[in-house]
Amino acid sequence: MTNNQILIKGALPYGEDATDIAVADGKIVALGKDAGDALVNPEIVNAEGLVALPGLVDLHTHLREPGQEDAETVYTGTRAGAAGGYTCVHAMANTNPVADTAAIVEQVQTLGDAAGWLQVRPVGAVTVGLEGKQLSAMSAMATSKAKVRVFSDDGMCVSDPLLMRRALEYVKTFNGVIAQHAQDPILTAGAQMNESALSAQLGLAGWPAVAEEAIIARDISLAKHVDSRLHVCHVSTAGSVELIRWAKSKGIRVTAEVTPHHLFLTEEEACSYDPLFKVNPPLRTFEDVEALREGLADGTIDIVGTDHAPHPLEKKDCEWQAGAFGMTGLETALPVVITTMVNSDRMSWRDVARVLSEAPAQIGQVAEQGHKIAVGSLAQLTFVDPTVVRTVDPKTQWTKSTNTPFIGHDLAGQVLYTMYNGQFTVREGQPIAKENR
């Protein structure tokens, strides 16, 4: 068993001055050059030159279990999360069966607890079977052992405005949040990629920006009307950023996320006709990417959510039209943020902690589980070497699936250590199974 007292020497909390971090019985008990005085015979870990961040939190992960274990399991998905620096992920509801009852969300949480890589917080479905016809048993999920607070039909839009209003009113009673997949189903019927001159040139059915923006505008109005919490999943257009910026200026209770792939890639990837780049919402224009980066930097967009969506090989090794929507992302999210935002001087390491840990923890209501580097906080920590640049290779990743869109790209930063509740789940870049810690 690992020593329950650990002294991490020379780390750079939030990329600032080097300090020692003393951990005992799962908590941070001291910080500073004399931190070791608080411990007796600790294990010593050299973290010189490593940026220390609060453990990362993902509000948008597809773990696929139950029912789609050929793509991912709770075990393999959370192992990938730990390798990427995560100590908490929110598991989306589009499993088989759908996580629309207390029994299913409790099953997912139990699987996460057994795996032991990180905290798994189930996301409950908004509607029964994700069918958009009647509300799910949200109250039962909220009061279950899983204590669900985030509800989403992700993969499907709650397109009925009356049903969306009722959902927002319902979660307000226990301070929950509706995480909306903003996609008008009529405007996107048969859509394959971003609607543009390029889609016409490639002969692929276009997915207009207004299909996202119209739903966001409607939902902002509904959230204002009922004074409830709305979270907008995977924002992808410049117009969406402007809508959210306006809503926040009016004090409307809206938060939003952007994915790593929408921060990094553009619609030009579709020229390859490779379904690795097929995703919902689609990759957009360079102008959209710039607006998303600006929105993340100025706080209009609150968080980075991975939308980690693994698929078996046969669903991506095919022609574009037959390919599944979705990309993996847990192991590349932090490197993408470092590459696009930190190394371009758009964001500081404090900002990285905000968008990848602190804000998602607050939205998902897991902030009490640590997610800050402070004495007395649970030791949920990530240590990354910012000087390393690695070429993405799916063969070296820990997720069960290989559908990363970043294959062959050089990304900055490598997670060398992840600590969950005072125990290392990753050492020297290698995940350590529960039984071996």
Side-chain angles (χ1 to χ4, degrees), residues 319-373:
E319 64 179 13
W320 180 282
Q321 287 88 342
F325 292 97
M327 304 166 166
T328 61
L330 284 168
E331 295 170 73
T332 46
L334 178 56
V336 166
V337 171
I338 295 170
T339 301
T340 60
M341 304 301 292
V342 177
N343 289 354
S344 65
D345 294 324
R346 289 178 183 258
M347 289 175 58
S348 68
W349 287 104
R350 286 273 180 182
D351 293 325
V352 173
R354 171 174 53 81
V355 303
L356 280 170
S357 182
E358 295 162 359
Q362 290 166 1
I363 296 168
Q365 298 187 46
V366 294
E368 74 280 1
Q369 300 299 320
H371 310 296
K372 57 184 177 180
I373 303 175

Side-chain angles (χ1 to χ4, degrees), residues 60-72:
H60 196 146
T61 302
H62 297 274
L63 294 178
R64 302 303 192 200
E65 190 176 9
Q68 302 163 53
E69 290 84 356
D70 57 338
E72 193 79 280

Side-chain angles (χ1 to χ4, degrees), residues 99-108 137 140-146 148:
D100 56 6
T101 66
I104 299 300
V105 294
E106 288 180 353
Q107 177 188 353
V108 172
M141 288 186 276
T143 56
S144 71
K145 289 189 298 182
V148 176

Side-chain angles (χ1 to χ4, degrees), residues 193-346:
M193 67 168 290
N194 182 52
E195 182 180 277
S196 65
L198 182 61
S199 65
Q201 177 185 329
L202 297 177
L204 294 173
W207 190 308
V210 70
E212 174 175 305
E213 294 159 8
I215 294 295
I216 292 174
R218 182 205 73 180
D219 288 349
I220 285 170
S221 295
L222 288 173
K224 178 183 180 182
H225 182 67
V226 302
D227 189 28
S228 189
R229 296 174 63 211
L230 169 69
H231 179 73
V232 185
C233 295
H234 41 50
V235 172
S236 70
T237 77
S240 296
V241 176
E242 285 305 308
L243 286 165
I244 294 160
R245 185 175 284 123
W246 175 86
K248 289 192 168 188
S249 74
K250 300 300 181 182
I252 300 170
R253 300 170 70 192
V254 58
T255 55
E257 73 189 24
V258 64
T259 71
H261 45 272
H262 287 113
L263 284 174
F264 194 93
L265 303 169
T266 73
E267 64 173 0
E268 296 292 330
E269 302 290 353
C271 293
S272 67
Y273 289 102
D274 186 339
L276 276 178
F277 303 108
K278 186 177 179 181
V279 67
N280 180 350
L283 301 175
R284 303 288 190 178
T285 68
F286 175 78
E287 290 74 21
D288 290 313
V289 170
E290 283 297 299
L292 293 169
R293 292 180 180 181
E294 180 181 347
L296 184 64
D298 69 20
T300 300
I301 298 173
D302 300 82
I303 68 171
V304 174
T306 69
D307 196 6
H308 176 80
H311 289 291
L313 182 62
E314 63 270 18
K315 290 192 176 183
K316 284 293 189 178
D317 188 15
C318 57
E319 64 179 13
W320 180 282
Q321 287 88 342
F325 292 97
M327 304 166 166
T328 61
L330 284 168
E331 295 170 73
T332 46
L334 178 56
V336 166
V337 171
I338 295 170
T339 301
T340 60
M341 304 301 292
V342 177
N343 289 354
S344 65
D345 294 324
R346 289 178 183 258

